[in-house]
Amino acid sequence: MGVFAVVLIAALTLADPRTPPSSEYQLKHVIVVHRHGDRTPIHSLPDDMFLFEGYWKSLLSGKARSHIRRMAKEMKINDAGDWHSQLTPVGLNQMRKLGQQLRLHYATERNLLSDTFNPNQVTAITTATTRTLESVKNLLSGLFPSADVNRIPVTVNDIFRPFQSKNKIHLSYSGHAKSERRALESRIHQAVAWTTAALNIYSPVTLDALSDTLMCRSHHHLPIPLMVTPHVVTHLLQLHLEDQLFPLRFDPEGAYHKAEYVPVFENLLQHIQNGFQNSDSKMTFISAHDTTLSLLLEAAFGKKMIDYPRYASALELLLWESPQSKVVTIVFNGKSVDVEACKLQRSGDLENGCDLDVFKSLGMN
């Protein structure tokens, strides 16, 4: 083997974000919190009925789709009958590929999982939407290609769909937060007014509906006026994310933090605790949303979010144990996430990761 090949292999090994914190640690369990795959728009714009509704509906036909809709209804998931917010064929493929990648990392390379499906090893959880249910089913089909994924049980837990209480919490801002809020609202108003005029839409449209629908159209290369460039669509999405996270960032009394972040993180901690305690259980999959990932990355791990996580994004929490301690390492879309609070309290020969006791306190103060 040439010197270059040896150096390249060594570099790839060093760059692997899934390496142990140190040589004495054993991988016990992995929790994957992932976003669903590519989907149809959640909302409609006034021109959808005439120009685009037929296209979106055409993506959702077929025997397999009828089956997933029946399954969703049996699980009391009530959004299965409409063309809105449903996984597309592109989304199905994204999730299978994610499952194949995880199979490579955790079955082939690390032997954490059995080669074939073992019900004792895997827990699958979805929020109460058809797109997340279908996403985790297709992820599992990539992870276990020989298994009948329809027989793999999936539990519904809508705690992992945050920001549902936004309109129920009244926050009053003052000082700097108040001026920042006014500035954000002004930028939102200007962006929505300009974009709706470019689309020849003159009825009221929310930022949420506008940004989401244009994102879906651009992903599917559907007609959009030339002046509504990809930069414009990205700007709308960034404004929407900033609007969504604003109460969390400028929460004067912690009410929003308590309502949105704490339930998600506490539920996640329960799965982490189970992962360490149950020696048979090897992987937990939580099929969720961009908002779930944004919330965890910003509030828990201190990563200021500028863009929404892309479709099929995956947050992997690797649970490691040594005779002395328990450690969590974090990987997001294939890259290591090093949390500042964990670095400050890292001891011994740990090269990365977060001591479990430190991890439990992230974002909770």
Side-chain angles (χ1 to χ4, degrees):
M1 184 182 294
V3 174
F4 176 76
V6 173
V7 172
L8 179 60
I9 291 171
L12 290 173
T13 302
L14 289 172
D16 185 357
R18 300 174 183 86
T19 52
S22 71
S23 58
E24 62 182 358
Y25 282 88
Q26 179 184 0
L27 183 60
K28 304 293 290 183
H29 191 95
V30 177
I31 296 173
V32 180
V33 185
H34 64 84
R35 188 185 180 190
H36 54 75
D38 179 83
R39 57 161 172 76
T40 59
I42 294 176
H43 308 277
S44 291
L45 294 182
D47 58 353
D48 267 311
M49 183 180 295
F50 305 103
L51 298 176
F52 303 111
E53 185 174 327
Y55 170 78
W56 298 122
K57 286 182 176 179
S58 73
L59 301 179
L60 307 178
S61 59
K63 194 175 193 178
R65 310 313 292 272
S66 299
H67 178 77
I68 201 74
R69 285 193 286 269
R70 284 197 302 272
M71 186 182 297
K73 288 179 180 178
E74 288 170 5
M75 296 173 67
K76 305 288 192 285
I77 295 174
N78 300 317
D79 69 343
D82 194 8
W83 63 267
H84 293 91
S85 68
Q86 303 300 310
L87 216 62
T88 68
V90 173
L92 299 176
N93 191 46
Q94 287 172 336
M95 299 313 302
R96 285 194 201 100
K97 283 185 175 179
L98 177 57
Q100 290 164 0
Q101 291 166 5
L102 295 170
R103 177 179 176 84
L104 174 65
H105 295 315
Y106 297 114
T108 305
E109 295 177 350
R110 288 167 180 80
N111 297 314
L112 180 69
L113 285 175
S114 301
D115 190 56
T116 55
F117 174 69
N118 179 340
N120 295 321
Q121 291 186 332
V122 175
T123 300
I125 298 162
T126 178
T127 60
T129 67
T130 307
R131 63 185 180 276
T132 49
L133 171 62
E134 196 168 13
S135 288
V136 76
K137 288 286 186 181
N138 279 273
L139 182 156
L140 292 169
S141 74
L143 186 66
F144 301 109
S146 63
D148 180 0
V149 295
N150 292 321
R151 293 181 176 273
I152 300 178
V154 179
T155 303
V156 176
N157 185 348
D158 220 31
I159 287 291
F160 290 106
R161 183 162 53 145
F163 301 116
Q164 301 303 301
S165 61
K166 181 175 180 180
N167 296 325
K168 302 174 187 175
I169 300 173
H170 176 71
L171 297 179
S172 58
Y173 302 108
S174 60
H176 174 68
K178 188 174 184 178
S179 62
E180 287 288 324
R181 183 67 213 173
R182 284 177 175 171
L184 175 59
E185 288 173 353
S186 176
R187 285 187 285 130
I188 290 172
H189 175 77
Q190 291 172 15
V192 170
W194 185 92
T195 310
T196 50
L199 294 168
N200 292 316
I201 294 173
Y202 298 102
S203 54
V205 174
T206 65
L207 172 64
D208 189 5
L210 189 64
S211 60
D212 176 72
T213 304
L214 289 177
M215 174 194 68
C216 293
R217 291 180 187 178
S218 65
H219 283 177
H220 286 258
H221 309 290
L222 296 176
I224 297 175
L226 288 176
M227 64 182 69
V228 183
T229 63
H231 174 76
V232 170
V233 178
T234 299
H235 179 59
L236 290 168
L237 288 165
Q238 289 172 337
L239 284 174
H240 184 243
L241 177 62
E242 190 176 348
D243 182 47
Q244 200 162 52
L245 292 177
F246 190 92
L248 198 70
R249 293 169 177 171
F250 293 91
D251 188 348
E253 298 176 353
Y256 204 74
H257 181 275
K258 184 176 180 180
E260 299 294 354
Y261 172 70
V262 172
V264 172
F265 195 67
E266 286 183 341
N267 268 262
L268 187 61
L269 288 178
Q270 289 175 13
H271 291 290
I272 289 174
Q273 204 68 37
N274 183 66
F276 277 117
Q277 291 174 351
N278 185 347
S279 59
D280 292 330
S281 180
K282 300 302 180 185
M283 291 194 78
T284 299
F285 298 94
I286 301 173
S287 188
H289 306 266
D290 51 5
T291 51
T292 320
L293 294 171
S294 297
L295 182 69
L296 288 170
L297 286 164
E298 176 143 333
F301 308 142
K303 180 179 172 65
K304 178 139 187 193
M305 300 303 296
I306 300 172
D307 298 299
Y308 278 113
R310 58 173 169 75
Y311 289 129
S313 287
L315 180 67
E316 301 165 48
L317 304 178
L318 288 76
L319 312 187
W320 305 89
E321 190 169 30
S322 76
Q324 290 78 34
S325 64
K326 296 173 181 176
V327 168
V328 180
T329 57
I330 306 160
V331 177
F332 179 59
N333 286 342
K335 295 182 180 179
S336 179
V337 177
D338 206 358
V339 181
E340 191 64 29
C342 300
K343 281 199 292 187
L344 292 173
Q345 302 191 53
R346 199 171 288 155
S347 59
D349 60 352
L350 283 185
E351 297 174 6
N352 58 67
C354 196
D355 181 84
L356 179 59
D357 289 333
V358 176
F359 187 92
K360 289 178 180 179
S361 67
L362 293 179
M364 299 296 278
N365 299 324

